[in-house]
Amino acid sequence: MHCSKVTERIHILGGGPAGSAAALAALRQGARVRIIEKSRLPRHKVCGEFFSPEIEPELEQLGGWDAFLAAGPARVRRTVLHFGARTKSSRLPEPAFGLSRYAFDRMLLDQARAAGADLVTEAGEEQPLIVATGRHAIPTQRGQRLFGFKAHFEGPTDDAVELFFFERCYVGVTAIEAGRTNVCGLAPESFLSRFGFEYDDIVMHCPALSDRLKPLRRATQWFSTGPLQYGQSFVNAGPEYPAGDALSFVDPFTGSGLLAAVRSGAMAGRAAVIGQPVADYLRECRASLRQPFQVAGVLRRALEGGWAEKLAPLAPGRLLFALTRPR
Ligand SMILES: Cc1cc2nc3c(=O)[nH]c(=O)nc-3n(C[C@H](O)[C@H](O)[C@H](O)COP(=O)(O)OP(=O)(O)OC[C@H]3O[C@@H](n4cnc5c(N)ncnc54)[C@H](O)[C@@H]3O)c2cc1C
């Protein structure tokens, strides 16, 4: 690896998980850090709020693991996939976690600030070196667009992440902190508009999901996001280090977006301080994240083609889980 110089001041655009992880990593290298975040945080974010087990070593390295545990994440020990009346269950090799984005994003940003990062709402004269601004907004054709939605529920919890597949959409149900359950889905606009974007009606449309939600009571409004556009920018001609969803956003089915955001953020923070060439940084990101991104691409095509429901029950659950993890 060829590194040119040590950068002492790092400006990071975006204070989500990738931006905060970049800040923590750069601070650990002795840099001074400024985070430019345009929104008021914390806030609810549309997300499955599922963290795969590999988040532990990533946060350990950044000094954020104890704070993560202190936020009280739920333990997730099983996966249950529902395809119509068929279900496919498997035990996770290690426990995963459920924690709201409200709690997680706040925890990580607080950690970065406590470690010395300066937080501002507008960029000054200096160009940001790390771009962690989340998904790119790319115009897509009406009707074919994908939207995400989520709400928190109260009531009995369990230790499974459940995914319900129906009509080219899927909805995930996961326990989070404080005895709550997150319900988060992703669906094409054409399907959502049949229900006038009434999410209570949409989740009742799938009988297995409707049964699962019967003992629960919705505790927040429905939040929605979109249109979602998948894309990867492992090539960047500019001098900035893209991290998190700004680097790559794939179908969130794999539940590894947050892990990828924290990992690439930390890699960007370190790379920016030591002056690692951006092309080398991007090559390392690609090597680490390629596998789950490729698998997510195949799954998205399967969902769009309507054959996921036929094929997925045939694949061993543990294999599916292993294939969707970053290296
Ligand atoms: C429906 C859905 C479900 C998902 N479920 C899961 C899941 O269960 N598990 C999982 O691991 N991942 C999941 N993901 C993916 C996960 O949400 C993302 O990978 C993660 O949010 C990426 O973090 P980030 O920091 O890159 O971006 P973000 O979380 O989007 O943060 C970007 C930040 O940058 C700020 N910003 C943007 N532009 C500017 C600007 N110009 N100036 C200053 N600030 C700016 C924004 O306000 C924001 O705070 C899901 C995604 C979707 C859409």
Side-chain angles (χ1 to χ4, degrees):
M1 173 176 53
H2 167 77
C3 300
S4 49
K5 61 179 181 343
V6 172
T7 309
E8 286 163 6
R9 281 181 73 92
I10 305 289
H11 286 211
I12 301 168
L13 200 60
S20 296
L24 283 165
L27 287 160
R28 292 194 146 222
Q29 302 275 108
R32 285 163 63 204
V33 171
R34 169 164 288 179
I35 301 173
I36 305 129
E37 168 54 58
K38 66 175 185 180
S39 304
R40 196 187 244 280
L41 301 179
R43 62 181 168 167
H44 286 289
K45 216 154 182 188
V46 176
C47 182
E49 304 185 328
F50 170 86
F51 291 78
S52 59
E54 299 87 347
I55 198 70
E56 177 175 348
E58 297 299 330
L59 291 178
E60 283 273 16
Q61 270 194 35
L62 297 173
W65 180 240
D66 289 345
F68 181 81
L69 290 182
R75 299 298 194 279
V76 181
R77 295 189 168 80
R78 299 176 297 124
T79 59
V80 184
L81 309 182
H82 297 261
F83 307 92
R86 291 157 76 182
T87 55
K88 183 182 179 65
S89 309
S90 58
R91 262 201 111 64
L92 290 173
E94 299 167 71
F97 304 91
L99 184 67
S100 71
R101 292 296 299 278
Y102 194 92
F104 180 70
D105 291 18
R106 174 168 61 186
M107 179 283 287
L108 215 54
L109 188 59
D110 283 353
Q111 289 278 305
R113 293 182 76 187
D118 175 27
L119 178 67
V120 297
T121 51
E122 276 178 34
E125 301 273 283
E126 243 174 290
Q127 280 302 307
L129 196 53
I130 297 176
V131 175
T133 46
R135 296 187 319 259
H136 298 293
I138 306 167
T140 36
Q141 226 178 323
R142 273 184 171 275
Q144 298 176 4
R145 306 183 300 180
L146 288 170
F147 286 83
F149 52 94
K150 83 128 186 229
H152 289 169
F153 284 67
E154 285 172 342
T157 56
D158 75 11
D159 65 350
V161 53
E162 293 190 62
L163 282 172
F164 297 82
F165 294 86
F166 55 101
E167 300 204 32
R168 295 175 193 191
C169 18
Y170 61 88
V171 173
V173 178
T174 317
I176 53 168
E177 76 275 15
R180 286 196 166 187
T181 296
N182 182 41
V183 177
C184 175
L186 200 151
E189 184 175 26
S190 51
F191 176 76
L192 297 172
S193 58
R194 266 168 52 200
F195 298 86
F197 285 78
E198 289 293 336
Y199 297 109
D200 286 320
D201 297 342
I202 288 161
V203 292
M204 289 303 135
H205 181 69
C206 167
L209 177 57
S210 158
D211 279 354
R212 173 69 183 84
L213 298 183
K214 245 180 214 140
L216 305 181
R217 190 181 59 80
R218 185 157 60 76
T220 65
Q221 66 177 88
W222 284 104
F223 299 93
S224 65
T225 189
L228 306 176
Q229 183 68 37
Y230 304 125
Q232 301 180 18
S233 42
F234 285 121
V235 183
N236 183 16
E240 310 88 12
Y241 300 82
D245 282 0
L247 172 71
S248 180
F249 177 63
V250 294
D251 196 289
F253 168 86
T254 59
S256 51
L258 287 162
L259 177 63
V262 171
R263 181 175 291 179
S264 61
M267 288 165 76
R270 287 189 284 268
V273 177
I274 62 170
Q276 182 183 13
V278 174
D280 291 359
Y281 157 76
L282 291 172
R283 214 176 356 263
E284 286 177 13
C285 288
R286 190 170 37 230
S288 167
L289 305 174
R290 187 177 41 208
Q291 179 163 299
F293 289 178
Q294 283 173 345
V295 175
V298 172
L299 287 166
R300 170 52 38 203
R301 282 194 291 280
L303 276 168
E304 277 165 7
W307 37 276
E309 295 175 23
K310 296 187 188 82
L311 284 190
L314 306 174
R318 273 177 176 252
L319 176 68
L320 214 51
F321 185 74
L323 286 175
T324 53
R325 318 290 15 118
R327 290 193 189 164

